[in-house]
Amino acid sequence: MPEPYDVITMGRIGVDLYPLRTGVPLAQADTFGKFLGGSATNVAVASARLGHRTAVITRTGQDPFGDYLHQALRAFEVDDRWVTAVERYPTPVTFCEVFPPDNFPLYFYRRPKAPDLEIHPHELDLDAIRAARIFWMTGTGLCAEPSRSATHAALEARDRSGITVFDLDWRPMFWPDGTDSSKGTDSPDAREETDPREQYARALRHATVAVGNLDECEVAVGERDPDAAARALLAAGVELAVVKQGPKGVLAVHRDGTRAEVPPVPVEVVNGLGAGDAFGGALCHALLSGWDLKRAMRYANAAGAIVAARLACSSAMPYDGEVGQVLAGGPVPAQDPVPAQDPAPAHDQVSVAAENAPPAPGAVR
């Protein structure tokens, strides 16, 4: 059997299009940066940047944007063997407006359905998933079939072996309204399948680590108070609960009673959208390194701060030396790093006539 992966992630992928001028609404933006995107994919990139053998399980459209995503993954040294094409759905595109320090509306184009929700259980390499040192899955993967069944199948195959991370990743616009025409609107089975709390509870029973912000914890376990949320996540089955508190930093509580609460790293925010994914990749690095909770949280916070000071998500993920610089009290590196070898550009600049852009379906945070 091949050597196990350090990290396998499973979930969203897409193309991010960000205005290259900050403080400009999409209606006035005419030049954009094109980047690899999607939360689970960004975590894989962040882990690879920190030196780990990494792969992502996801799907793209069978289109030029899908080709671009494969090229970008390879440039970031993320294994794309389990990134397959779906002929009938286009590769998702996400636009962002950038209004620092704390307003970054997202506009998701994932209709009629995103290919990354078409992951089928029979397509999974369960042996590789079982063997990975870390398996990282997201709440979005639970929002629709067949991705829901595939995600649960992967979790059950892990059977709590190694480190299994549940990124709570709450995106309400991806979830149905609780009805399923094939079962009838009053069917208990239909309500259970489309109830996030039920799906999250089922996943938490198979995870060893849960990571989420206060909104996500409230969806998962009904608690917004950080300590109460951490206790509820532990009661739901995980060994380690990581509760992100925004400007108050991060709280981590282990089942053995170990606790760490770490303040955020001060930074001049350019785009806060990728900070959580950088935190995730850095958390994987810390867990694989066997660090204590305080050191792990400080490292993950520093990685997130670095990306918050940059425009992009994937290409902004930091290297270990940059995180070390921040932890040593040095300045937060503002520029996006450039890999030593980049056979295919992971991001490009594109000009888009604003008046020809598709109408926005609505801003979400």
Side-chain angles (χ1 to χ4, degrees):
M1 182 177 175
E3 182 179 351
Y5 287 87
D6 293 323
V7 180
I8 295 178
T9 70
M10 180 175 176
R12 290 204 310 275
I13 195 170
V15 176
D16 288 344
L17 293 172
Y18 292 169
L20 295 181
R21 288 190 296 156
T22 62
V24 175
L26 285 181
Q28 298 175 17
D30 56 5
T31 305
F32 295 78
K34 174 165 64 76
F35 305 95
L36 172 74
S39 180
T41 303
N42 285 336
V43 171
V45 170
S47 300
R49 276 271 166 94
L50 295 171
H52 298 289
R53 183 168 182 255
T54 305
V56 60
I57 302 168
T58 190
R59 304 196 74 181
T60 71
Q62 191 168 303
D63 52 33
F65 273 152
D67 295 340
Y68 160 72
L69 295 176
H70 278 279
Q71 294 169 13
L73 285 168
R74 292 166 189 160
F76 288 126
E77 299 185 345
V78 175
D79 196 322
D80 65 343
R81 70 181 60 196
W82 298 308
V83 182
T84 56
V86 178
E87 185 175 0
R88 63 187 179 277
Y89 298 131
T91 299
V93 175
T94 302
F95 285 86
C96 170
E97 291 180 310
V98 183
F99 296 105
D102 59 0
N103 185 22
F104 307 101
L106 286 170
Y107 300 78
F108 290 101
Y109 292 80
R110 291 170 60 88
R111 299 294 183 182
K113 187 179 185 182
D116 54 55
L117 294 176
E118 281 291 294
I119 303 171
H120 292 262
H122 70 267
E123 298 171 327
L124 300 176
D125 185 339
L126 295 179
D127 288 336
I129 290 171
R130 287 188 196 98
R133 298 174 68 193
I134 290 181
F135 176 66
W136 179 289
M137 47 73 63
T138 74
T140 294
L142 303 172
C143 75
E145 292 290 3
S147 172
R148 179 186 302 126
S149 293
T151 302
H152 285 307
L155 288 170
E156 290 164 8
R158 290 280 291 180
D159 194 25
R160 296 176 62 83
S161 62
I163 300 168
T164 302
V165 184
F166 182 4
D167 177 359
L168 301 181
D169 183 41
W170 171 240
R171 298 287 182 178
M173 72 294 299
F174 297 160
W175 286 77
D177 61 4
T179 63
D180 184 335
S181 59
S182 68
K183 297 183 178 180
T185 58
D186 295 327
S187 164
D189 290 341
R191 290 194 297 272
E192 181 176 344
E193 285 190 6
T194 55
D195 181 357
R197 182 73 60 82
E198 294 287 343
Q199 295 302 320
Y200 277 48
R202 181 179 171 188
L204 284 167
R205 289 194 290 270
H206 295 282
T208 63
V209 180
V211 182
N213 61 33
L214 296 178
D215 289 338
E216 292 164 340
C217 290
E218 184 173 25
V219 171
V221 293
E223 298 285 356
R224 285 191 63 85
D225 174 79
D227 283 285
R231 290 194 299 269
L233 289 168
L234 294 175
V238 302
E239 299 295 319
L240 173 63
V242 180
V243 181
K244 294 184 283 189
Q245 306 175 74
K248 292 186 177 181
V250 60
L251 168 67
V253 182
H254 195 276
R255 183 176 296 280
D256 66 8
T258 308
R259 170 192 171 93
E261 190 161 12
V262 176
V265 175
V267 63
E268 184 174 343
V269 175
V270 174
N271 184 355
L273 290 174
D277 300 332
F279 181 100
L283 175 62
C284 290
H285 179 66
L287 293 172
L288 291 170
S289 300
W291 294 344
D292 63 69
L293 276 189
K294 185 173 182 180
R295 182 181 180 185
M297 295 304 108
R298 289 185 67 242
Y299 190 91
N301 262 1
I306 291 170
V307 174
R310 296 169 171 172
L311 175 66
C313 290
S314 55
S315 63
M317 296 300 164
Y319 294 100
D320 179 66
E322 295 177 303
V323 182
Q325 173 182 314
V326 171
L327 289 173
V332 174
Q335 74 278 6
D336 290 359
V338 178
Q341 292 182 339
D342 194 355
H347 65 279
D348 296 298
Q349 294 186 12
V350 294
S351 295
V352 179
E355 60 270 23
N356 292 332
V364 296
R365 293 291 303 279

